[in-house]
Each structure stands twice: as structure tokens, then as C-alpha cells.
Amino acid sequence: MQNPHRESFAERRAAVLSKLVLLFSQGMGPDAIAQASVDLVGEATDAAAVFVYLWDRDDERLVLRVATPGPQHEGIGEIRLRLGDGIAGWAALRQESVVLTQAPKLDPRYMRVDTIEEDEFNSMLAVPIVDEQEQLRGVFALYSTGEGAFGPDELAIAVEVGQLLGVGLVHAATIAALNQQSTNARFLLDFPLGSTTSLVPALQYSARKILDICAADVSILNYVSKQERSNPPVTFGLRQPEGQEHRVWSSHSPAAVQSASEQHGINLERTTVSLGMESARGVLTLFRRAPFRTTDLNHINAVTAQLSVLLEAIDLTSSSSTHVTSLLFGQSDARTVRTLESLNVVGATYPTAFRILDVEDDVGQARSRMKELFGTAAGPNSIVLADATSGVLIVDASRGRTSPDLAGQLRQAVRQLQAEHAVRVAIGIGPISPRPAAFRSSMDLAKSALAWACNLSQDEAPVTDYADIHDVAMLPEVWKGLSGEVVALARSLSPLVAYDQRHGSELTRSLSTFARFGGSASETARLLVIHRNTLRQRLQRIDQLAGMTVTATTDWLTLALAAGLAESRVAAPAGLTRS
């Protein structure tokens, strides 16, 4: 007859593993994953203390990252062990588990650490954390005040959690790398149009934004303009406490610049990167408490390269930026008319807005070619105005030109520009403006079309004519009312996504089809070419994995959207689905 206590332990073990699998699928960072493991394992094994050391490749040390509450919390981030140091270091070096049933401090491998009161513990279990490639990721250590507290059961659960934790850490690292790449790629795309018209607003926005995307405490931007005019001031960004907007200020005073650098950079790590594409045009200096690792420097260089493109583009195109600002953001019809008069625009036009999505090194040549291609596509008597990342086309419409014809010509220009210079641009075409006084209202609709084009930025040539979205222009407002419920439900379907990816099954597709047909089992089974009993079994499995009866809903629209998102995640590249 089975021991009731062992059966209870087996149930707790199964619960721990299932909860960890669910948590790991939610895209948490390494420390959060380790903390979840500590909490669950500590509860399941009745350990008095649980530690997780993570391997720091740059420093070649095991660093205490997570621990149960107690004196050991003072050592988090401070305790750094070499391979072979202490029992945890030995387990990491040999990649072997260690079970000590009494007095760990008497073991010859024991090494005293002042911030951890290990003398009170009489049992210890240390398990190396390795990934699927058998690369060291850390050490999982459990302690108990009682002797003989850890046996085969505790070892088994610790080993299994260590294996899951290793996989979870790899996944977290992959997600972090992808998020970093996404942040790099979107630096220019997310730049506010209002901050691209002159150097000072661009520098001030960048100094604030860089604090977050480069995890810095202080940022200093010193850019030297190519123009024959007074250079922009040195711009500072200073991180503020959570919930407060970062402080940004500028100064032309060398003494003030030197004083601020010394005051705010004292006792911090520092790195400096040159600004400029063909030649140095200044420097970006960053300070922070944590050392700058190789991955950090790669990230900083990628962002700085884009910032250099932006600043030089602003420098080169400042002459037309005032017109672009007036036509894109002006709130006065009279001022818009005056701007158009200065450009000799008097007849009917198609107001058209564009935005640069991606750029590469030779931005000057690419921008010249962009203006040439857009001018040809827009036709005679048309005007191309551009600032750093945005611009306006004033397309002559007096000769019967239609917007579909214009859209087709611009798509060809966008494709050619991308093929020649790897520069991608999104374009929004507004309705015809019969006279200059109507230009501003038409431009507002062109900007709405541009927003749609930017959302379709994965298209080969994202060009949107407002006439094509007129009937659905309020869709974003409708989505705002649904997005919260859809996102929450989509997250709850993550176990289905993971299950389909592991087993090659079609649970998400079945749920998506079922929802689209409003819960009609017969129509769903017909489209999926399966028996209704098979569909019923799939729906039961879906509810089981999701932990709730999602198939019993009557809100079919919300479920169809959430299930459609889950279905798309199944086919997404590895590492992009568990978020």
C-alpha cells in the first residue's frame, strides 16, 4: 500500500512542475523566473531557505540573484562565487548534484560567506542549472535546519526544476535579445514627429529616451552641428525615481557642463560613443551603477548609429523642416495658406504625408534619391518637403490625377527606394484639397492614412490612400473598447499555443474556427474536416489546458480575436510566442 505522505508529496511535485511550465510561458525575465522557482520549490519541499545563483558570463562568477527572505537577502547581487568555490561552486564546476544530510559546514568543500548564516542549517541540496546544450546557467541550492531533510524525492524535484529553470533562462535570454533588437529597430520609428524638426528638441528627447533603452542613470549628448551657426547646447538626461519623468536640461556653459558631469557621474561606471556617420560629430556619454557588458555596448552602438543618422539628417534638412512642421502640425488654416503661398501652391492638390521607417548608413544619398523618386511619382508641379524622419508631398491634382493612380506610383517608388538603399518609407494619401484653405483638413486625413500605413509596416510598400480606409477609419476607436478583454483572453490561451507547438496539434485553429462560426459545432467540424466527436474532445482539452471554460462563452467576437492571435503565435518563430 502506498504511503499517504509520499502520495501527497507526489501531488505537490506535479503541481510545482505544472505551475512552473505555465509561468515560464509568460515571457518573464531571468530573475523573475528564478524567484518563481524559489517560491514554489520552497513551499513544496519545506526547505528553510532556497537560493538561486545565476552564471555571469562576462564576470565568470556565480551571482546570488534570488533567495528566500532572511539575512541572505543582503547578499543578493553581492555574493559572487568562482567555479569551485564552496559547495554551490563545486556543483557548478562538476555539474553534479550534492546532497548533504548533516552539518554542511563540516564538508571539506564548504566555504563560509558572512552574509549567509549557513551554520544554522543541517542539510543541504545543491543542483546545477544547465540548459539543453549542457551549458551552465547557475546553481539551485536548498537548505534545511533538520538533518536528513533531503532525500530522493527532494533531489528529483530539485533536478527537474533545475532542468526547467535552465530551459526557462534560455528562453528569457532569447526574449530579452529579441526585445533589445526590437527596441533598437524602433528607436527612429517611435521618435515623435514634433522632435525631428530641429536639433535641440531631438537631443532633448533622445537624452530622456536613452536613459531607459540603454539602462543608464545619466546621459550626456554633445553634438557639433555642420551648419555655420551656433552649435546646439550640451544636453543632459538624469534618471528620476520610479513614476517620475526623467529630468532633461541643456547648457552652453563649459563650466556648467563640466560641473554637471562631475556631480552626476561620480562613483558610476562610464562609457562614451562617438556620434556621426562619416566623421565624428560629437559624443554620447552614459553613466550607470552597473558595469557596461558586451551586450550593453552592442545595444548602445546600435541606438547611437540611428541617433547619428537622425541628427545629421536634421542638420542637413533644417531649411525645409519649418515648412514640414507647418503643414503637418499647424493648427491654423491661415498659417497653412501662407506657407502654401510661399511655395507657389494655388490649385487643387493631394496632401500626402510620409515617414521613414528604416534607414541605413548612407542617409544623405538615400534621402536625395527618395526626394527624386517621390518627385517623379508625384508628377510635374508637385513639391517634396522632408525633415529628418518625415515629410510632405504636395501633389498637383489640377489635371484630373486620381488618388489610386498616385498610390500606385508611390508604391513603385517605395519599392525602388528599398531595393536601392534599404530605406523603407510609409505613406498616407489624403483626399483632394480643392484650394489652399482646405489643405489642413485634408492633411489631417492624410496623417490618419499614414498611421494605418505605419501599422502595416511589414508590407513591402506600405502606402495607404484615405479613400480606402474611409469606411473603417474609426476602427482603432472600436478596438480600444475591446483590446483589454482580448489581450487578457489571448494571454490565458498561452498553454494552448505551447501545447500545439510541442505536439503539432491544432487546438488553437479549432478554437479560432469554432469562435468565428459563433459556436456552431457542425460548421466548425465541416470546415476542419473532422468528426463532431473529435471536435468535442478538442474543445474539452482546450478548456482543460486553459483552466477555464472558454468554449462556453457567448462573446464570440472577443474569443475569435483572441483565438486568432493564439493561432498566429503557433506559427511564429521560436521565442516570439510566449509573451
Side-chain angles (χ1 to χ4, degrees):
M1 183 175 181
Q2 190 174 22
N3 186 314
H5 175 74
R6 182 174 296 276
E7 182 178 358
S8 174
F9 185 88
E11 291 173 354
R12 284 185 289 161
R13 173 184 173 188
V16 168
L17 297 178
S18 63
K19 288 178 182 178
L20 283 177
V21 170
L22 179 60
L23 289 172
F24 290 174
S25 70
Q26 295 177 359
M28 299 184 299
D31 288 355
I33 288 176
Q35 183 65 62
S37 303
V38 164
D39 295 341
L40 290 171
V41 172
E43 180 181 351
T45 62
D46 294 326
V50 183
F51 302 164
V52 173
Y53 296 87
L54 296 184
W55 179 244
D56 185 329
R57 294 184 184 276
D58 287 321
D59 199 31
E60 295 187 343
R61 294 289 190 276
L62 290 165
V63 183
L64 182 63
R65 290 297 187 193
V66 180
T68 47
Q72 55 270 13
H73 258 262
E74 297 180 9
I76 291 178
E78 299 297 327
I79 298 177
R80 311 177 77 85
L81 305 176
R82 293 187 297 267
L83 291 180
D85 283 352
I87 298 169
W90 186 93
L93 176 64
R94 301 289 296 271
Q95 292 194 15
E96 295 179 14
S97 298
V98 178
V99 180
L100 300 177
T101 58
Q102 59 182 0
K105 64 183 179 181
L106 299 179
D107 189 276
R109 295 164 293 188
Y110 175 78
M111 184 180 76
R112 180 174 179 77
V113 179
D114 292 337
T115 52
I116 299 181
E117 298 180 2
E118 293 179 293
D119 292 348
E120 64 178 299
F121 301 125
N122 292 305
S123 297
M124 178 182 179
L125 174 59
V127 174
I129 302 169
V130 296
D131 59 28
E132 293 176 318
Q133 305 301 318
E134 298 186 355
Q135 296 295 312
L136 178 68
R137 294 285 172 172
V139 175
F140 204 44
L142 288 71
Y143 293 84
S144 176
T145 55
E147 294 185 355
F150 303 123
D153 285 333
E154 288 78 11
L155 176 61
I157 192 172
V159 168
E160 287 181 296
V161 171
Q163 291 172 344
L164 281 175
L165 187 51
V167 173
L169 292 173
V170 172
H171 176 69
T174 302
I175 291 294
L178 290 171
N179 287 340
Q180 188 178 85
Q181 292 173 16
S182 176
T183 300
N184 294 348
R186 293 190 62 85
F187 179 66
L188 287 187
L189 183 60
D190 291 338
F191 220 92
L193 289 176
S195 296
T196 61
T197 57
S198 65
L199 286 171
V200 173
L203 289 166
Q204 290 182 339
Y205 173 82
S206 299
R208 178 180 291 111
K209 185 69 173 177
I210 284 172
L211 291 175
D212 289 327
I213 63 178
C214 295
D217 293 308
V218 182
S219 62
I220 305 176
L221 280 167
N222 186 355
Y223 183 77
V224 180
S225 173
K226 292 182 178 180
Q227 304 299 318
E228 294 182 359
R229 60 177 183 268
S230 59
N231 281 303
V234 177
T235 303
F236 291 82
L238 181 63
R239 178 176 295 278
Q240 298 297 298
E242 187 73 26
Q244 298 182 28
E245 186 174 357
H246 301 322
R247 181 187 170 200
V248 174
W249 75 99
S250 301
S251 177
H252 274 296
S253 167
V257 170
Q258 181 66 24
S259 175
S261 300
E262 293 175 352
Q263 175 187 354
H264 298 291
I266 187 171
N267 296 327
L268 297 179
E269 299 286 337
R270 169 179 174 166
T271 189
T272 301
V273 183
S274 295
L275 295 170
M277 300 308 300
E278 297 179 358
S279 60
R281 304 302 309 170
V283 293
L284 164 66
T285 304
L286 299 177
F287 295 89
R288 73 180 191 187
R289 292 174 178 81
F292 290 97
R293 307 294 188 183
T294 302
T295 53
D296 297 322
L297 297 177
N298 291 339
H299 182 38
I300 293 167
N301 285 329
V303 171
T304 305
Q306 294 187 69
L307 179 58
S308 298
V309 171
L310 175 65
L311 296 177
E312 292 197 8
I314 293 174
D315 222 4
L316 291 169
T317 61
S318 58
S319 60
S320 66
S321 63
T322 301
H323 290 327
V324 172
T325 302
S326 174
L327 297 177
L328 274 180
F329 307 109
Q331 298 299 307
S332 166
D333 286 332
R335 181 179 178 183
T336 299
V337 170
R338 288 197 299 271
T339 300
L340 293 173
E341 287 176 349
S342 70
L343 296 169
N344 296 318
V345 176
V346 294
T349 59
Y350 283 110
T352 300
F354 64 84
R355 185 169 189 178
I356 299 172
L357 302 178
D358 300 300
V359 297
E360 287 202 353
D361 292 350
D362 195 354
V363 63
Q365 184 178 355
R367 284 172 56 81
S368 297
R369 182 57 172 155
M370 178 181 69
K371 295 181 70 172
E372 179 184 345
L373 288 171
F374 287 1
T376 301
N381 302 321
S382 297
I383 298 172
V384 183
L385 300 170
D387 63 17
T389 61
S390 58
V392 171
L393 294 177
I394 305 175
V395 183
D396 180 30
S398 61
R399 300 182 181 182
R401 184 85 179 268
T402 65
S403 60
D405 172 56
L406 173 61
Q409 294 294 323
L410 288 174
R411 284 193 182 93
Q412 291 183 20
V414 168
R415 292 190 186 99
Q416 189 169 348
L417 182 64
Q418 184 175 0
E420 293 179 7
H421 295 283
V423 176
R424 300 185 65 250
V425 181
I427 299 178
I429 303 170
I432 194 169
S433 169
R435 58 192 181 280
F439 188 93
R440 190 173 70 85
S441 59
S442 294
M443 176 55 75
D444 286 341
L445 299 181
K447 290 192 293 183
S448 296
L450 175 61
W452 279 71
C454 289
N455 288 331
L456 300 174
S457 61
Q458 296 305 313
D459 286 4
E460 181 185 357
V463 177
T464 300
D465 185 345
Y466 182 78
D468 293 333
I469 64 167
H470 176 271
D471 295 331
V472 292
M474 296 304 295
L475 184 59
E477 296 300 320
V478 176
W479 167 249
K480 286 180 182 178
L482 296 171
S483 59
E485 295 179 15
V486 172
V487 169
L489 184 54
R491 286 175 178 166
S492 71
L493 300 180
S494 293
L496 276 65
V497 175
Y499 187 90
D500 279 353
Q501 289 176 326
R502 287 197 305 270
H503 300 283
S505 51
E506 295 189 336
L507 295 184
T508 53
R509 179 169 178 252
S510 300
L511 180 61
S512 177
T513 306
F514 183 69
R516 284 190 287 109
F517 280 108
S520 172
S522 59
E523 288 298 317
T524 302
R526 180 185 61 79
L527 185 64
L528 295 176
V529 195
I530 58 175
H531 195 275
R532 289 185 63 177
N533 287 339
T534 301
L535 176 62
R536 185 173 63 253
Q537 292 170 0
R538 289 186 183 179
L539 296 178
Q540 290 173 349
R541 184 60 174 154
I542 288 168
D543 288 343
Q544 189 179 46
L545 287 171
M548 57 181 178
T549 53
V550 294
T551 58
T553 185
T554 57
D555 188 356
W556 298 113
L557 175 59
T558 299
L559 181 58
L561 290 170
L565 290 171
E567 184 180 3
S568 68
R569 290 166 61 199
V570 171
L576 291 179
T577 59
R578 297 180 181 180
S579 56

